[in-house]
Amino acid sequence: MNQHRAFPAVVTAAALVLLGGCGSGGDAAGAASDGRLAVVATTPEVADFVRAIGGADVTVTQIIKPNVDPHDYEPTPADIKAIGEARLVVKNGVGLEEWLDQTIESAGFRGAVVDSSQGVTLRAGGHEEGEEAGGAEHEGEEHDPHIWHNPRNAKIMVTTIERGLAAADPAHATAFGKNLAGYAAELDELDAANEAAFAEIPAARRKLVTNHDAFGYYVDRYGLQFVGSVIPSLDTSAELSARQLTDLVTKIRATGARAVFTESSLPPKSAEAIAKQAGVKVIGGEDALYGDSLGAEGTPQGTYLGAERHNTRVIAAALAG
């Protein structure tokens, strides 16, 4: 992952003005004007999970908007204000939100933070088996934070989120539990549909080239072969050297990979250039994959389930030829 970025001084100063005396310790803090539980969720995926489990009993402030790269995110004064007024903060974890701890401190937040990665078996960098997350960031180690791309992991995440919501708002724990049961069934259906889609594709064709290394959990779950990525990293800060670019083109040709898949939150230019050199098609535009983000609000891809169905439909169609 990127090195921890310095927290912008201008944001901190502006936050103090915005926050005034506001914090999460007051009697009214953490409750929306209509009495619903006020939750801040960091990423689009986590925010969608909170909405699905919380239903009508929560109000969710989503920090990172659709098609914004979470690896390069810098918090705004509005983010700090929202955290200061929330009862609960829910994060992806695994080091994806490097900016969050200092933002929470600046906000004066004293509520609970739910790390939705707890209990998920993490992948080490480079498509190797990882270890179970325990809420820590595994200091000194790099793990793949894109845990939601395996629906089985998503099921663990929403279970953890449900526990956090129930602890923060026991009066609605029964409703949260019912919502969890229904959503968990939808995740099982998604997983089964994904598995069936790739079962129809010969193993020799299940080769994936993406904009960056965001689909490791997906690749492992559905028996794909990860050929390489345009950005040779779990985050989006690295760039291909001339030699790496040549090596990737050579690998695409040697493995018989059929396409290079662009991602919705990243510029497609480098992926298009590599696909052209390798003599394969580039998958982009409306068919770009949702690697780090979800689609625009109100679209089918604006939900986790819709984005993952889109990814499988696009990948399976391209690999099947």
Side-chain angles (χ1 to χ4, degrees), residues 172-254:
H172 294 105
T174 299
F176 298 148
K178 288 180 179 178
N179 293 341
L180 173 63
Y183 194 74
E186 291 191 85
L187 291 173
D188 288 341
E189 290 175 9
L190 171 68
D191 189 37
N194 288 352
E195 196 168 29
F198 289 113
E200 297 180 2
I201 300 172
R205 291 188 181 182
R206 298 180 202 159
K207 306 210 169 98
L208 195 65
V209 184
T210 57
N211 247 358
H212 86 296
D213 190 358
F215 290 91
Y217 294 95
Y218 187 94
V219 164
D220 291 348
R221 173 68 189 97
Y222 301 116
L224 308 183
Q225 178 187 343
F226 182 72
V227 175
S229 57
V230 177
I231 300 172
S233 175
L234 294 172
D235 65 28
T236 56
S237 62
E239 294 182 2
L240 276 179
S241 65
R243 179 173 178 177
Q244 287 174 316
L245 189 153
T246 301
D247 287 348
L248 179 57
V249 169
T250 300
K251 199 171 181 182
I252 291 171
R253 290 172 175 165

Side-chain angles (χ1 to χ4, degrees), residues 103-287:
T103 307
I104 285 174
E105 183 179 347
S106 297
F109 177 76
R110 293 187 292 278
V113 177
V114 174
D115 181 348
S116 65
S117 72
Q118 288 185 326
V120 173
T121 299
L122 301 180
R123 291 181 60 258
H127 297 274
E128 298 173 5
E129 288 298 322
E131 58 190 79
E132 186 174 289
E137 299 296 352
H138 302 277
E139 195 169 335
E141 300 178 66
E142 181 179 37
H143 289 90
D144 186 344
H146 307 91
I147 54 177
W148 61 90
H149 283 306
N150 180 341
R152 294 181 176 182
N153 290 346
K155 198 171 178 181
I156 295 171
M157 295 171 77
V158 294
T159 301
T160 299
I161 289 169
E162 186 271 339
R163 285 199 299 265
L165 292 175
D169 185 6
H172 294 105
T174 299
F176 298 148
K178 288 180 179 178
N179 293 341
L180 173 63
Y183 194 74
E186 291 191 85
L187 291 173
D188 288 341
E189 290 175 9
L190 171 68
D191 189 37
N194 288 352
E195 196 168 29
F198 289 113
E200 297 180 2
I201 300 172
R205 291 188 181 182
R206 298 180 202 159
K207 306 210 169 98
L208 195 65
V209 184
T210 57
N211 247 358
H212 86 296
D213 190 358
F215 290 91
Y217 294 95
Y218 187 94
V219 164
D220 291 348
R221 173 68 189 97
Y222 301 116
L224 308 183
Q225 178 187 343
F226 182 72
V227 175
S229 57
V230 177
I231 300 172
S233 175
L234 294 172
D235 65 28
T236 56
S237 62
E239 294 182 2
L240 276 179
S241 65
R243 179 173 178 177
Q244 287 174 316
L245 189 153
T246 301
D247 287 348
L248 179 57
V249 169
T250 300
K251 199 171 181 182
I252 291 171
R253 290 172 175 165
T255 59
R258 292 171 166 249
V260 176
F261 295 87
T262 66
E263 296 174 38
S264 65
S265 58
L266 294 172
K269 193 170 183 180
S270 296
E272 292 169 349
I274 286 175
K276 185 175 182 180
Q277 288 189 46
V280 299
K281 58 187 173 181
V282 62
I283 308 296
E286 292 184 354
D287 286 337

